[in-house]
Amino acid sequence: MFSTKMYRLLTGGKALLLAYDQGLEHGPVEFNLHNINPNYILDIAEKGGYNGVILQQGLAEKYYQSYKKSVRLVLKLNGKTSIPKTDPYSPQLCSVKRAVNLGADAVGYTIYSGSPLESKMFSEFGKIVEEAHDFGIPVIAWMYPRGPFVKDENSTEILAYAARVGLELGADMIKIKYNRDLDGFKWAVKAAGKCKVLVAGGQKENPEELFKEAKQVMDAGAAGMAIGRNIWQHPDPLRVTKALRKIVIEGAGIAEAMKAYGKQP
Ligand code: FBP
């Protein structure tokens, strides 16, 4: 389903989304005195020209409303903390209707494929796809294989399987991690079929490493990135954004990105 709202999230078929659901998923341990404030992130999303910002409902209600005209919202419908060490399951916390009322242009949902509780998430997700498509908005699935039966969450085979599950379950876009196996990633993109593939950030050593990986995944068929910590934990988030946009949206190479970042490769 490629609705008008799906196109609104894309620039020339590509998307750079700013993820800020880590406050729930990881806790304030990820934050400093600047980025603990959601307005700081929304300013980055606005000034950096992101295709959208990813928020949970609480932040969407209390902070996003004054940015409604300038930043698009991807409302994350499920979530959990990192505290309980139970079988991976992330329950739905917000309805599609409420997401639409809060101004969402798309909704997001994490599926831990391979978890003993995957059937619960599959079933919640199926209903979400149905409702979201009735509202004409796209669904982004965070496809994160996880749990006691998943021996290696980063294996190429398991990542491609997760990508395919996203397509089978009706996602319009999936977000997967990149395990640095380029051919494997190309295979995962193929497995995702008509589902657009976004890549998660993860913690990188430095921006150069981020740009190199971004270039690899974009050349391998990704539609973009949905990234958080590499941007808003950086002392100059707009500088990293400018360089990353060159690669993700404009299709530039590393040298041009490094120039935009202000460093020779
Ligand atoms: P980062 O770019 O900061 O890695 O965020 C990507 C993301 O998918 C977030 O949307 C989410 O909060 C987090 O990673 C979950 O990561 P994990 O489940 O691996 O801890």
Side-chain angles (χ1 to χ4, degrees):
M1 195 224 38
F2 289 82
S3 65
T4 318
K5 295 227 171 170
M6 172 82 150
Y7 284 111
R8 279 206 227 154
L9 265 194
L10 304 167
T11 306
K14 303 285 187 281
L16 190 56
L17 301 175
L18 189 60
Y20 191 58
D21 58 339
Q22 292 83 350
L24 176 63
E25 299 291 330
H26 301 161
V29 68
E30 299 285 9
F31 299 149
N32 59 30
L33 282 173
H34 301 291
N35 57 35
I36 196 161
N37 179 356
N39 286 323
Y40 179 79
I41 307 300
L42 283 153
D43 281 342
I44 299 171
E46 186 177 55
K47 294 191 184 108
Y50 280 85
N51 293 81
V53 67
I54 300 161
L55 301 176
Q56 285 282 347
Q57 58 174 328
L59 301 195
E61 186 165 50
K62 294 190 173 54
Y63 297 87
Y64 172 71
Q65 299 310 305
S66 43
Y67 291 82
K68 234 176 178 165
K69 292 207 171 85
S70 51
V71 181
R72 297 199 191 286
L73 172 67
V74 178
L75 204 293
K76 189 75 199 304
L77 297 182
N78 68 340
K80 59 158 195 55
T81 71
S82 59
I83 302 166
K85 303 298 172 207
T86 48
D87 283 337
Y89 171 59
S90 182
Q92 184 173 355
L93 308 168
C94 177
S95 69
V96 175
K97 185 164 176 272
R98 176 157 157 77
V100 171
N101 287 339
L102 287 167
D105 264 298
V107 288
Y109 184 97
T110 300
I111 297 176
Y112 298 117
S113 50
S115 163
L117 298 171
E118 68 168 22
S119 59
K120 252 174 124 166
M121 290 172 277
F122 287 4
S123 145
E124 274 179 19
F125 187 73
K127 292 192 189 99
I128 285 168
V129 169
E130 196 177 328
E131 285 169 40
H133 289 182
D134 283 348
F135 277 107
I137 61 168
V139 181
I140 307 175
W142 276 232
M143 296 305 306
Y144 289 172
R146 209 161 282 181
F149 301 113
V150 178
K151 286 197 183 68
D152 177 6
E153 1 184 296
N154 283 316
S155 88
T156 296
E157 194 188 326
I158 210 83
L159 286 172
Y161 196 170
R164 186 63 178 208
V165 171
L167 171 70
E168 303 277 351
L169 296 181
D172 303 293
M173 290 174 136
I174 53 164
K175 173 173 170 180
I176 57 174
K177 295 191 178 175
Y178 174 47
N179 68 356
R180 298 184 181 176
D181 168 2
L182 197 51
D183 286 334
F185 185 78
K186 285 183 189 160
W187 181 238
V189 171
K190 278 220 180 306
K194 286 189 179 176
C195 224
K196 288 191 169 281
V197 177
L198 302 173
V199 176
Q203 271 175 318
K204 302 281 180 290
E205 292 280 303
N206 50 52
E208 288 88 331
E209 191 192 342
L210 171 68
F211 303 150
K212 277 185 195 145
E213 284 199 18
K215 183 66 189 154
Q216 287 173 9
V217 296
M218 294 310 292
D219 285 350
M225 297 189 84
I227 180 168
R229 290 167 292 175
N230 289 285
I231 306 298
W232 45 254
Q233 285 179 349
H234 189 278
D236 191 346
L238 292 178
R239 200 169 127 220
V240 196
T241 300
K242 201 172 150 200
L244 194 59
R245 269 190 74 81
K246 288 261 171 225
I247 296 172
V248 174
I249 306 291
E250 296 173 28
I254 304 290
E256 211 181 314
M258 290 304 285
K259 207 168 143 209
Y261 184 65
K263 237 176 156 180
Q264 293 308 316

